[in-house]
Amino acid sequence: MENIKSILQNADSILIGAGAGLSTSAGFTYSGPRFQKYFADFEKKYGFHDMYSGGFYPYKTLEENWAYWSRYIMINRYMNAPIPVYEELFELVKNKNYFVLTTNVDHCFQKAVFDKSRLFYTQGDYGLWQCSEPCHKKTYDNQLFVEKMVREQGFVIQDDGGLELPENGFKGIKMTVPSELVPRCPVCGKPMSMNLRADDTFVEDEGWNKAAGRYEDFLNENKDGKIVYLELGVGGNTPGIIKYPFWKMTYANTKAVYVCINKGEAEVPGEIEKQSICVNNDIYEVLKSL
């Protein structure tokens, strides 16, 4: 811990690469009790046991599809994470020259008051919709519509943004939303879809492209200096976005240091072993120590 702390303090810049493991450490789990608290009715009807599986299920109607997705969006985008991992991370880097590259789509960095101009969400945002076609490259904020959808199902939105069941539990919950709440493209009328990179219909809108440009600028300005590549919770699903580029850029710069914190998946190639520190532990526990 002392070694990592010293390296971060003495760095000219820090590039944070954040994967799903960071939000998992913050309590955003997609199975188990948290899944069952909000999706027990869908689990009973369809037999899937985690939110990801439910997100890909081919529901017969758009009304049922958006009942599922509105709950999903509400708890993973508009509710706060129960463990202050992102806040701890911000305290660690707030006075440094930092940038964040993340595959997470849950908006946790903004909620922890990271500078929006220093963030690049490569894979989309749960808070945005797009045309499913897509007929145009624009995204739309969905918070007000999502809140209406979950209320129509019978859920109660607390003052702090939390989502709760009614007094009679799932007996008072519907598994559909009214047809008039099904989101449709304001240009062509086709159904809207999530702005998530699941296939080649993903919309890279103006905000996405500006963020991509700021990321490239940060790399060009700092990649040859005393930079720390701080990788947090990045697994093997999409290693080409964060992990492999971090390894390659560390190898290309003898002044760079690669720090990987990832419970169960902290590893590094032998070629950059002497420039690296790997910590096989829970991210929150490590950040608290730092």
Side-chain angles (χ1 to χ4, degrees):
M1 292 303 100
E2 288 301 319
N3 197 4
I4 294 175
K5 191 171 183 178
S6 175
I7 288 168
L8 293 175
Q9 288 174 341
N10 293 317
D12 293 332
S13 59
I14 301 171
L15 179 56
I16 299 168
L22 183 61
S23 287
T24 299
S25 180
F28 271 3
T29 53
Y30 283 65
S31 59
R34 188 167 179 264
F35 166 73
Q36 291 157 355
K37 179 178 180 179
Y38 300 105
F39 298 98
D41 50 352
F42 279 92
E43 182 179 35
K44 181 178 180 181
K45 182 175 180 178
Y46 292 111
F48 50 73
H49 306 292
D50 64 87
M51 294 183 213
Y52 282 121
S53 299
F56 287 102
Y57 194 87
Y59 302 103
K60 292 182 179 179
T61 68
L62 289 172
E63 289 79 3
E64 191 172 23
N65 175 76
W66 285 110
Y68 182 86
W69 268 102
S70 60
R71 300 184 202 179
Y72 191 121
I73 299 166
M74 190 70 201
I75 66 171
N76 293 310
R77 171 63 166 76
Y78 297 114
M79 285 176 59
N80 291 325
I83 302 171
V85 173
Y86 285 85
E87 289 77 8
E88 293 282 354
L89 178 59
F90 180 69
E91 288 300 314
L92 191 64
V93 302
K94 65 181 181 180
N95 296 320
K96 300 295 292 186
N97 175 29
Y98 74 85
F99 197 93
V100 175
L101 173 68
T102 182
T103 54
N104 294 344
V105 293
D106 50 25
H107 208 70
C108 284
F109 282 102
Q110 284 97 319
K111 286 188 282 188
V113 301
F114 278 78
D115 183 349
K116 186 178 180 180
S117 68
R118 294 174 178 267
L119 302 174
F120 181 25
Y121 279 74
T122 63
Q123 305 297 77
D125 187 332
Y126 284 145
L128 298 175
W129 285 338
Q130 63 169 70
C131 175
S132 58
E133 191 68 20
C135 71
H136 64 298
K137 290 189 174 296
K138 186 177 178 180
T139 58
Y140 300 85
D141 293 334
N142 61 28
Q143 183 172 3
L144 294 178
F145 296 96
V146 167
E147 289 176 352
K148 287 181 182 178
M149 287 180 182
V150 295
R151 285 194 177 103
E152 285 290 336
Q153 291 174 71
F155 284 95
V156 178
I157 300 176
Q158 304 290 342
D159 292 339
D160 63 357
L163 193 65
E164 296 295 334
L165 292 163
E167 291 184 1
N168 58 345
F170 276 100
K171 291 181 180 179
I173 294 295
K174 301 174 185 176
M175 294 178 66
T176 59
V177 299
S179 297
E180 61 268 23
L181 289 185
V182 171
R184 295 189 177 275
C185 175
V187 177
C188 71
K190 295 282 181 65
M192 296 287 258
S193 62
M194 298 298 299
N195 181 231
L196 303 175
R197 193 185 298 278
D199 53 34
D200 60 3
T201 64
F202 176 68
V203 167
E204 296 174 356
D205 66 3
E206 182 181 3
W208 189 98
N209 282 290
K210 286 182 177 178
R214 290 192 293 268
Y215 172 59
E216 287 298 321
D217 290 342
F218 182 87
L219 282 182
N220 290 332
E221 293 167 6
N222 297 285
K223 64 181 180 180
D224 296 324
K226 290 176 62 178
I227 184 170
V228 175
Y229 295 101
L230 179 59
E231 184 187 297
L232 304 170
V234 177
N237 287 338
T238 53
I241 297 173
I242 297 173
K243 187 178 290 292
Y244 293 168
F246 276 24
W247 289 353
K248 184 176 179 180
M249 289 186 289
T250 302
Y251 182 72
N253 176 9
T254 58
K255 291 179 285 187
V257 178
Y258 170 74
V259 178
C260 174
I261 306 171
N262 196 352
K263 190 174 183 179
E265 294 187 61
E267 58 187 8
V268 65
E271 290 86 345
I272 58 170
E273 181 179 0
K274 293 181 180 179
Q275 292 173 254
S276 305
I277 300 176
C278 291
V279 183
N280 181 18
N281 202 351
D282 178 72
I283 297 170
Y284 180 54
E285 296 301 322
V286 176
L287 293 178
K288 280 197 303 180
S289 298
L290 292 173

